[in-house]
Amino acid sequence: MSKITMQDIADALGISRVTVWKAFNNHTGVSPVLRQGILEKAKELGYARAGAEPSYYEKEKTVSLIVSRPDSSTFWTNIIHRMAQELSSHNVNLLYTYMPSSYDDDFILPSVLTSGTIQGAVILNVYDERIIQLINELALPKVFLDTVPGIGMEALRGDLILLEGYHATYRITQWAIGRGIRRLGFIGDVHYAHTNLDRYQGFCKCMEDNHLEIKEGYCMTCSIHIDSYYQVLSGFLDSLAELPEAFICASDYITHFLQIYFSEHRERIPKGILVTGFDGSLEYANVSGQLTTADVRTDLLGKRLSMQIIYRMEYADAPYELIYINPDIIYRDSVLY
């Protein structure tokens, strides 16, 4: 008969191995009732703690969350909250390390990233190429959620998780075309994030496959500072003598600005205009639940990031991974006014 392990006890109770380890070592996070149940199950199975098995989790570890503007959107805070929960259940601490949104000549990486006090890093909402390059050079296990188009997967020294946008946006665009729309535009800064570029390319491919012209005048893909989005968007729309029948947008963040603009310029869309988003955000009340969008499960995304950095820390020499998370498409009427 093989030796009983902590994993056997965990499987018998339907709990994690870390929870069993915490119960044996009197760590917080395990209720007295559950602790007693674990000890009784261990006795029942004949588990002997003498010469206890080694565990990756027995030594507490710390992961740095390298993040810019974490409070700028509930999209990011939801991911971070779920990450903290998941890592805690694996005896891993989550340490915030804040980054500026843009690089300047005085910038240096915080010493916590180079002092040897952390064992891994997750990079979130950092979209400045020079800052990412500095982070990329760190001798740490790393997991990136998205990156800038100027840094390809082959240059990253870590795993890259991307929200799949090429095929998702293709499907959204095809749905709009299926409603009889022929004049479509795209809005999204393709220089900002790899995922934005993927979404634009999916839009272009769908238009090409349907033999529809991509009018540059209907597409706003330029670099846009995060704090000037509405001003730039308004200027772009004001410059159009004729609007397209639909805008395919790279995010729900963009769609809520479009709604604001058209609420102030109703005369420009007497028959309404179709607008689609991406992310499935509930944050923007003026468009939430109204538009076709790609639904991103931020809770599961946070958990996936946590599991990936745990794997990367344990198997630092494993080949780097490129991982796509496929969102579901939620189809709605999607017509503003």
Side-chain angles (χ1 to χ4, degrees), residues 6 11 27 44 123 126 137 168 193 226 228 236 245 255 277 314:
M6 283 191 280
D11 291 343
H27 273 250
E44 174 189 329
I123 298 88
V126 179
E137 293 169 4
I226 194 69
S228 61
F236 164 71
E245 300 169 271
T255 65
E314 187 168 8

Side-chain angles (χ1 to χ4, degrees), residues 56-57 59-67 80 83-84 86-88 90-97 112-113 116-124 140-144 302 305-314:
Y56 166 67
Y57 301 113
K59 183 179 179 181
E60 198 170 63
K61 294 182 179 291
T62 298
V63 164
S64 173
L65 173 66
I66 304 177
V67 61
I80 294 167
M83 280 181 57
E86 186 66 25
L87 289 172
S88 176
H90 290 276
N91 203 33
V92 179
N93 299 314
L94 187 64
L95 174 71
Y96 277 66
T97 306
V112 68
L113 298 177
T117 57
I118 61 172
Q119 287 73 52
V122 175
I123 298 88
L124 192 74
L140 287 169
K142 295 181 290 293
V143 176
F144 296 83
L305 286 164
S306 301
M307 299 309 297
Q308 191 64 30
I309 191 58
I310 288 171
Y311 168 82
R312 180 50 54 193
M313 289 190 295
E314 187 168 8

Side-chain angles (χ1 to χ4, degrees), residues 123-333:
I123 298 88
L124 192 74
N125 201 28
V126 179
Y127 290 108
D128 183 280
E129 184 170 340
R130 286 172 293 184
I131 293 177
I132 293 178
Q133 286 173 339
L134 291 173
I135 295 169
N136 195 39
E137 293 169 4
L138 292 170
L140 287 169
K142 295 181 290 293
V143 176
F144 296 83
L145 177 61
D146 205 356
T147 186
V148 294
I151 301 180
M153 176 62 194
E154 69 284 354
L156 284 181
R157 300 175 185 175
D159 300 321
L160 176 62
I161 295 181
L162 294 172
L163 296 171
E164 201 290 314
Y166 180 93
H167 296 286
T169 305
Y170 187 108
R171 289 161 58 196
I172 290 173
T173 307
Q174 187 64 54
W175 167 81
I177 294 171
R179 296 184 62 170
I181 292 174
R182 295 296 178 266
R183 294 183 292 109
L184 296 92
F186 180 91
I187 299 178
D189 180 352
V190 301
H191 309 280
Y192 180 70
H194 190 90
T195 47
N196 279 6
L197 180 59
D198 280 350
R199 294 166 198 178
Y200 178 60
Q201 290 174 338
F203 165 80
C204 291
K205 178 60 175 172
C206 186
M207 294 287 283
E208 177 187 329
D209 287 351
N210 283 276
H211 309 290
L212 296 176
E213 180 185 0
I214 302 169
K215 291 190 176 181
E216 291 186 8
Y218 288 165
C219 297
M220 189 182 83
T221 59
C222 58
S223 295
I224 309 169
H225 191 277
I226 194 69
D227 295 325
S228 61
Y229 232 105
Y230 185 66
Q231 292 89 336
V232 175
L233 179 59
S234 297
F236 164 71
L237 294 172
D238 286 342
S239 72
L240 296 180
E242 178 188 45
L243 292 169
E245 300 169 271
F247 278 117
I248 308 299
C249 299
S251 69
D252 294 337
Y253 176 72
I254 296 170
T255 65
H256 100 278
F257 285 134
L258 276 175
Q259 192 278 338
I260 294 171
Y261 177 87
F262 287 123
S263 71
E264 298 170 350
H265 300 82
R266 294 283 293 275
E267 74 285 353
R268 301 205 64 191
I269 51 167
K271 296 182 180 180
I273 186 168
L274 188 141
V275 174
T276 69
F278 205 105
D279 294 334
S281 175
L282 301 177
E283 184 170 2
Y284 309 110
N286 60 334
V287 293
S288 178
Q290 302 176 46
L291 307 181
T292 291
T293 189
D295 184 28
V296 177
R297 289 285 306 276
T298 51
D299 55 338
L300 295 180
L301 185 52
K303 181 170 183 175
R304 187 66 182 84
L305 286 164
S306 301
M307 299 309 297
Q308 191 64 30
I309 191 58
I310 288 171
Y311 168 82
R312 180 50 54 193
M313 289 190 295
E314 187 168 8
Y315 301 101
D317 294 333
Y320 294 138
E321 299 182 10
L322 172 60
I323 301 161
Y324 281 97
I325 307 295
N326 290 310
D328 291 327
I329 308 300
I330 302 175
Y331 297 103
R332 300 188 177 103
D333 177 66

Side-chain angles (χ1 to χ4, degrees), residues 6-17 19-20 23-24 30 33-42 44-45:
M6 283 191 280
Q7 187 63 59
D8 294 322
I9 300 168
D11 291 343
L13 294 172
I15 58 178
S16 75
R17 181 170 174 271
T19 301
V20 175
F24 286 155
V30 182
V33 172
L34 180 56
R35 188 186 307 275
Q36 184 61 34
I38 291 170
L39 296 177
E40 290 175 358
K41 180 58 69 173
E44 174 189 329
L45 295 176

